[in-house]
Amino acid sequence: MRGRDLISITDIASEELEDILQTALGLKDRGRQTLLVGKTLALVFEKPSLRTRVSFHVAMRHLGGDCIYLSPPEVGLGERETPADVARVLSRYVDCVAARTFKTETLSELAAHASVPVINALSDREHPCQALADMLTVREKKGRLRGVTIAFIGDGNNVANSLSLAAAVSGMHFRIASPEEYGLPQDVRVRAEELAKASGGSVRVMHDPGEAVADADVVYTDVWTSMGQEHEASQRKEYFAGYMVDARLMAEARPDAIFMHDLPAHRGEEVADEVIDGPQSVVFDQAENRLHAQKALLALVLGDENAA
Ligand code: CP
């Protein structure tokens, strides 16, 4: 994976995903390593972040490298300077760029003009780094990915897009329950179905949360209103009424099912306190795994061959 961009989770083949997960588990076990001494990562963010920003920063520090954070007003992507010029300039200073953008086109423009790898740290379209941490968490908690049933309840958003594609490539059974107007984009659904067909997994799209979670191994949800959609919040609350993951819904899943959420959570909307704070919740292990999964990704993209 050395030198490669990560824009979509589908940029990673199934054997490469496996390599990232094994590397992440190894790095999690071994702690700090000196794999990226002298390397610098630039974080270019158009939106706020807690987990992504801190986990990338700490990941570089743990691997012996350095990290620079550029906040939205500092960079002014597309306003102060074109994404193409930002990419050309940063490529002269740093070894990798992780960007969080409103539009996926901005990310694509950065990647097209950078001579260093560009990593999607969340766009309107996908959140592949979250999906890597999610797969790592399921692997740890369930001992495998293949054959695991994961039910996503809520908005067919960037997190759901990457999760569906990662699950499909891993031979998992992915179900999503959303209101009719807020399901997975058609092209993502078609691609996920193709990947699932090849891996022995499956993808099912439905509207009834109870049907989605029935006997599921993993129940996953995310906010109903993503960053940049705040003007739709009240309308979305109406559409998503009935899609909260509460104890009654969790009881429809397998007794040993885990609850996942990429965070931040809007408690009392997509998830009840009793679930996110309950014994089946693994959300903070999942958040920790952002660090381990990204350490593995950075080591494989930026490190010497076989160093990880
Ligand atoms: N899950 C996630 O990406 O969190 P942040 O928005 O805080 O980075």
Side-chain angles (χ1 to χ4, degrees):
M1 295 191 62
R2 193 167 157 71
R4 293 242 304 271
D5 295 330
L6 173 60
I7 305 300
S8 166
I9 194 70
T10 57
D11 294 337
I12 297 172
S14 61
E15 59 276 13
E16 290 171 334
L17 177 59
E18 184 57 33
D19 200 15
I20 292 170
L21 299 186
Q22 289 304 330
T23 303
L25 290 169
L27 289 170
K28 189 169 181 174
D29 204 34
R30 293 199 301 276
R32 293 169 190 248
Q33 302 280 304
T34 52
L35 300 172
L36 298 183
V37 173
K39 305 279 186 186
T40 303
L41 169 71
L43 300 176
V44 180
F45 279 30
E46 288 189 315
K47 300 179 184 183
S49 169
L50 173 65
R51 281 144 290 272
T52 309
R53 176 181 172 179
V54 177
S55 57
F56 265 119
H57 200 117
V58 174
M60 285 303 287
R61 287 293 182 89
H62 279 193
L63 295 173
D66 217 335
C67 186
I68 298 167
Y69 173 71
L70 297 158
S71 65
E74 283 172 301
V75 181
L77 275 176
E79 290 174 10
R80 185 166 184 266
E81 204 161 3
T82 65
D85 283 353
V86 170
R88 291 181 184 112
V89 172
L90 284 176
S91 298
R92 303 292 180 105
Y93 300 140
V94 303
D95 302 283
C96 185
V97 175
R100 170 167 286 201
T101 63
F102 283 101
K103 294 184 190 157
T104 198
E105 291 78 13
T106 307
L107 200 61
S108 302
E109 191 176 339
L110 284 170
H113 296 277
S115 58
V116 297
V118 173
I119 295 172
N120 180 353
L122 181 146
S123 71
D124 57 348
R125 175 79 176 171
E126 278 203 50
H127 198 354
C129 295
Q130 182 65 53
L132 294 178
D134 296 343
M135 292 298 106
L136 182 61
T137 306
V138 174
R139 165 67 63 81
E140 284 184 323
K141 301 295 179 186
K142 294 292 163 193
R144 70 195 201 286
L145 295 179
R146 189 167 298 282
V148 170
T149 297
I150 184 165
F152 186 97
I153 308 302
D155 190 22
N157 62 9
N158 45 10
V159 169
N161 289 348
S162 290
L163 184 68
S164 67
L165 294 163
V169 87
S170 303
M172 296 172 71
H173 301 296
F174 180 84
R175 303 175 189 160
I176 181 168
S178 317
E180 179 128 25
E181 297 77 0
Y182 294 102
L184 278 186
Q186 180 66 12
D187 61 326
V188 172
R189 177 181 173 174
V190 168
R191 183 73 183 121
E193 285 170 348
E194 287 168 0
L195 291 168
K197 201 170 173 187
S199 70
S202 63
V203 176
R204 288 181 57 205
V205 172
M206 55 196 79
H207 304 306
D208 178 6
E211 185 184 352
V213 303
D215 293 323
D217 300 292
V218 181
V219 178
Y220 196 128
T221 190
D222 190 13
V223 293
W224 295 336
T225 302
S226 296
M227 287 181 279
Q229 299 171 335
E230 289 78 5
H231 59 287
E232 299 175 16
S234 60
Q235 179 190 323
R236 282 172 171 265
K237 271 188 195 172
E238 285 177 27
Y239 274 98
F240 283 96
Y243 284 83
M244 180 197 286
V245 179
D246 56 14
R248 183 197 54 77
L249 189 63
M250 273 307 287
E252 304 288 325
R254 287 176 55 91
D256 62 351
I258 56 172
F259 171 75
M260 296 178 68
H261 191 309
D262 54 296
L263 304 178
H266 289 179
R267 291 159 175 263
E269 290 187 14
E270 77 274 4
V271 61
D273 283 340
E274 65 207 14
V275 172
I276 195 167
D277 296 329
Q280 290 167 285
S281 175
V282 299
V283 299
F284 298 111
D285 293 333
Q286 182 185 359
E288 180 189 328
N289 277 338
R290 292 293 306 274
L291 172 64
H292 307 298
Q294 286 157 206
K295 280 170 76 171
L297 176 67
L298 291 166
L300 291 166
V301 169
L302 292 180
D304 295 334
E305 212 78 49
N306 302 320

